[in-house]
């Protein structure tokens, strides 16, 4: 995915757009560019590489002035990361500039048409083709200059050209468009990629998400698919592709500008790891009913009777959110005796899974924009199933298309490697499983026990965070390994998977998570003195069996880092290193166990000189299939 920003107002556009792009860089950082409309000319600066390495230096050397402009930070889909492929892209006339997040699936056929008509292209991107398409439709309008306005009720000429062009487009887009003929107008449009209007005073913004503009305004309009927005400094209008204007609702961003800043931390990921005591509290806040020993939610849009009629749950997610879903499986099955299937969204959407009518589909997503998860939601709704979303980004596409849902209230997660979203997802899943259990057979005393264990988590996380320096030392000891195993049983198997993913995606070390007992069925062949294993070994019902698995690794000289309950002093004799965490219920232990693994991955990646917040090849939310 990419990040786009547009500005029209009274201030200089360039610094506002550049700062907005920095807030969106987690969405893609292969290249970046801006176009500022100045004295009826489009001044463009664009450069391969991260903003501070490329675009910022370019603008410092060759600043541009003007009060309207567009910016883009790219995660390459069509065409490698190069200066030429960076956005913005211009139409044939050079009077229209476009920035785009998404994929134009029929760009090749459009490009053939333009090449046959003599158009020249300077990039291998689909977006440049879109710019030419908009330019072609604009030319057909033969706009006569009545100061660029349009008769009341009619779309602005530039908006009309954009609408006419988009009717020919197959694919997804979140775009912003400017034209030298209209020095105070920006047009935005979306289908399948997020786009919001930031409503200011004497200025208006377009952005891929709220973090880009929260420093300027907290009033936003979340655009829907097929919306086309026309912005001037004093006003904005939203039309629907193919129809007239549409009702818009102005919402308030729930976090402030500081939440989208790194503060005293060297990386967003470390900041977000350290935020977890607060974000778990946020996930719990207002959702516990102590008297009834149950949980309560405001946005499920399902009655207790409907929830009680659920006979199966299908969880659909990707990546870290899929790992949270695996923990959800254990929770719903233990607390509510409801069978659960956890599906990779990318697989689920194409499978013809036999799902009964009394099945609840639960989609889990931090960004609310993951294309595969959105497709899984739409496929489920198409078949008539209720879909609930557990999501972090308010107003995101998935949040708005689900029948109901639960927000994480974790604040913006900027680090590409998901951390606080995971613990908030698991917290919400635990609460939802508690509710589903308490309307079935779960006892009051068991419900109270679960609630007490959950309420102790923030303070227990603080206790684990106090070990940060020690875990950093441990990370340095193992930072040269090229292969890692993460092992855990039952609730801790998904934690092992998540710990492995964290290490892989930010340190580029090959890491695998397995059920501890599964090692004997092949993977143990990989164990040698150079291959460390992180063993999740809480003092629980299966501790003795876990210890046996641990001995099997030990017998083959595999280095072992054990994650053990703080009262377990005996385990040190069997392993190389121990990280102690507070004890809690087996069902709540994942919320504690993941924290040391996040810190371990973070410090190993830093020790290896990796870019923790912007790992190679990755993007924060995968809005392409
Ligand atoms: C997590 O560390 C990864 N960056 C990635 O797997 C992520 O969890 C996945 O892409 C799903 O994103 P979502 O939660 O926003 O849908």
């Amino acid at each position: 995915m990419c990040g786009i920003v547009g500005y029209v107002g009274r201030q200089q556009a360039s610094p506002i757009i550049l700062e907005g792009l920095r807030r969106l860089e987690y969405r893609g950082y292969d290249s970046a560019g801006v176009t500022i409309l100045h004295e009826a000319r489009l001044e463009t600066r664009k450069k391969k590489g991260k903003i501070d390495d490329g675009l910022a230096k370019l603008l410092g050397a060759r600043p541009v002035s003007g009060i309207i402009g567009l910016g883009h930070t790219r995660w390459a889909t069509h065409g490698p990361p190069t200066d030429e492929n960076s956005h913005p892209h211009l139409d044939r006339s050079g009077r229209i500039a476009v920035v785009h997040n998404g994929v134009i699936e029929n760009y090749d056929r459009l490009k053939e048409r333009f090449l046959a008509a003599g158009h020249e292209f300077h990039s291998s991107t689909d977006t440049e083709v879109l710019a030419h398409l908009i330019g072609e439709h604009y030319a057909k309008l033969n706009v006569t200059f009545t100061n660029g306005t349009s008769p009341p009720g009619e779309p602005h000429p530039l908006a009309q050209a954009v609408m006419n062009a988009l009717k020919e487009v197959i694919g997804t887009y979140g775009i912003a468009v400017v034209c030298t003929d209209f020095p105070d107008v920006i047009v935005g449009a979306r289908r399948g990629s997020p786009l919001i209007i930031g409503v200011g005073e004497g200025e208006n913004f377009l952005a891929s998400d709220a973090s880009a503009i929260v420093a300027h305004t907290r009033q936003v309009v979340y655009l829907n698919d097929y919306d086309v927005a026309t912005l001037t400094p004093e006003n904005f209008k939203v039309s629907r592709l193919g129809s007239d204007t549409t009702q818009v609702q102005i919402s308030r961003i729930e976090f402030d500008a500081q939440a989208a800043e790194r503060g005293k931390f060297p990386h967003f990921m470390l900041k977000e790891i350290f935020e977890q005591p607060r974000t778990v509290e946020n996930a719990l806040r207002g959702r516990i009913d102590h008297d009834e020993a149950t949980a309560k939610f405001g946005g499920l849009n399902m009655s207790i009777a409907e929830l009680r009629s659920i006979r199966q749950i299908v969880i659909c997610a990707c990546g870290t959110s899929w790992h949270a879903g695996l923990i959800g499986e254990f929770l719903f099955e233990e607390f509510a005796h409801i069978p659960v299937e956890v599906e990779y969204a990318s697989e689920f959407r194409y499978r013809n899974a036999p799902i009964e009518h009394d099945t609840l589909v639960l989609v889990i997503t931090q960004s609310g924009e993951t294309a595969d998860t959105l497709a899984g939601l739409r496929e489920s709704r198409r078949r008539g199933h209720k879909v609930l979303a557990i999501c972090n980004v308010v107003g995101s596409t998935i949040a708005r298309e689900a029948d109901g849902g639960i927000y994480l209230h974790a604040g913006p997660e900027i680090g590409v490697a998901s951390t606080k979203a995971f613990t908030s997802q698991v917290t919400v899943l635990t609460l939802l499983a508690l509710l589903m259990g308490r309307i079935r057979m779960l006892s009051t005393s068991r419900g109270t026990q679960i609630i007490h264990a959950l309420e102790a988590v923030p303070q227990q996380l603080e206790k684990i965070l106090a070990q940060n320096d020690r875990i950093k030392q441990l990370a340095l000891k193992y930072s040269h390994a090229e292969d890692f195993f993460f092992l855990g049983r039952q609730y801790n198997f998904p934690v092992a998977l998540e710990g492995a993913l964290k290490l892989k995606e930010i340190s580029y070390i090959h890491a695998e998570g397995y059920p501890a007992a599964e090692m004997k069925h092949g993977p143990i062949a990989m164990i040698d003195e150079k291959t460390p294993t992180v063993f999740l070994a809480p003092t629980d019902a299966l501790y003795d069996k876990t210890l046996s698995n641990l001995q099997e690794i030990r017998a083959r000289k595999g280095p072992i880092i054990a994650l053990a309950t703080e009262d377990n002093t005996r385990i040190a004799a069997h392993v190389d290193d121990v990280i102690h965490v507070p004890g809690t219920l087996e069902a709540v232990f994942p919320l504690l166990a993941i924290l040391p693994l996040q810190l371990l991955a973070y410090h190993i990646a830093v020790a290896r000189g990796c870019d923790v917040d912007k790992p190679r090849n990755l993007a924060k939310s995968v809005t392409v299939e």
Side-chain angles (χ1 to χ4, degrees), residues 20 23 32 57 73 121 138 206 224 264 298 384 393 428 439 461 524 556 581 588-589:
R23 295 268 181 281
K57 289 178 180 169
T73 182
F121 289 91
Y138 177 68
L206 279 174
N224 292 305
K264 66 181 183 349
V393 178
V428 162
I439 62 175
L461 291 174
I524 199 165
R556 289 155 180 85
V581 296
V588 176
F589 190 74

Side-chain angles (χ1 to χ4, degrees), residues 318-321 365-367 370 416-418 501-502 505:
C318 301
T320 287
S321 299
T365 171
Q366 187 285 131
S367 63
T370 301
V416 167
S418 188
L501 176 61
K502 287 287 91 58
E505 63 178 330

Side-chain angles (χ1 to χ4, degrees), residues 53-292:
D53 301 338
L55 178 62
K57 289 178 180 169
L58 207 51
L59 284 168
R62 294 171 56 214
V64 284
S65 59
I67 57 170
I68 175 172
L70 310 173
H72 184 275
T73 182
R74 184 174 184 238
W75 186 71
T77 53
H78 290 74
T82 61
D83 296 354
E84 298 74 21
N85 286 338
S86 311
H87 301 208
H89 289 288
L90 305 185
D91 76 323
R92 188 185 196 181
S93 72
R95 293 188 303 173
I96 290 176
V98 178
V99 289
H100 168 227
N101 174 25
V103 175
I104 307 297
E105 294 174 8
N106 61 329
Y107 87 99
D108 47 354
R109 292 191 294 280
L110 292 166
K111 190 166 186 175
E112 281 169 17
R113 183 175 99 195
F114 292 137
L115 288 171
H119 289 230
E120 286 183 17
F121 289 91
H122 306 290
S123 80
S124 51
T125 65
D126 53 345
T127 306
E128 190 181 10
V129 176
L130 176 60
H132 281 237
L133 183 63
I134 293 169
E136 182 185 64
H137 281 280
Y138 177 68
K140 285 178 186 170
L141 291 177
N142 286 321
V143 175
T144 52
F145 291 100
T146 53
N147 72 11
T149 55
S150 46
E154 290 291 311
H156 185 279
L158 184 58
Q160 187 62 64
V162 168
M163 287 188 209
N164 295 346
L166 293 177
K167 286 173 187 166
E168 290 197 60
V169 162
I170 299 170
T172 59
Y173 53 80
I175 60 172
V177 186
V178 291
C179 175
T180 55
D181 295 343
F182 311 108
D184 63 349
V185 173
I186 291 185
V187 172
R190 69 152 283 171
R191 182 174 71 200
S193 293
L195 193 63
I196 65 173
I197 299 173
V199 184
E201 290 183 18
E203 57 187 12
N204 284 311
F205 306 77
L206 279 174
S208 297
D209 73 40
S211 55
I213 55 164
V214 67
H216 303 281
T217 177
R218 293 178 69 170
Q219 305 300 314
V220 293
V221 173
Y222 295 102
L223 294 175
N224 292 305
D225 281 353
Y226 302 104
D227 281 352
V228 177
T230 306
L231 280 63
T232 62
E234 301 303 331
N235 195 2
F236 68 89
K237 184 171 84 169
V238 180
S239 311
R240 296 281 292 168
L241 201 54
S243 66
D244 54 13
T245 56
T246 181
Q247 289 303 316
V248 293
Q249 180 190 340
I250 295 181
S251 306
R252 178 171 171 74
I253 301 169
E254 65 174 21
F255 59 84
D256 62 16
Q258 192 181 3
E261 289 166 4
R262 221 169 43 198
K264 66 181 183 349
F265 291 93
H267 297 101
F268 278 107
M269 183 178 175
L270 190 61
K271 176 192 175 196
E272 289 151 12
I273 288 172
F274 271 77
E275 282 180 334
Q276 290 177 110
R278 300 294 71 75
T279 50
V280 167
E281 275 175 354
N282 293 345
L284 292 170
R285 186 170 295 113
R287 292 170 170 167
I288 291 176
D289 181 336
H290 290 94
D291 296 338
E292 302 298 323

Side-chain angles (χ1 to χ4, degrees), residues 3-48:
I4 64 178
V5 179
Y7 175 79
V8 58
R10 305 194 199 101
Q11 303 184 67
Q12 284 303 307
S14 180
I16 290 173
I17 292 171
L18 187 63
E19 203 41 45
L21 290 180
R22 282 198 175 96
R23 295 268 181 281
L24 295 180
E25 205 171 11
Y26 69 93
R27 303 173 62 88
Y29 30 87
D30 293 333
S31 65
V34 300
T35 280
I36 306 296
L37 207 167
H38 179 58
E39 293 173 356
R41 276 198 335 275
L42 292 174
E43 288 285 343
T44 298
R45 306 284 186 273
K46 57 186 191 176
K47 190 73 180 164
K48 176 186 174 185

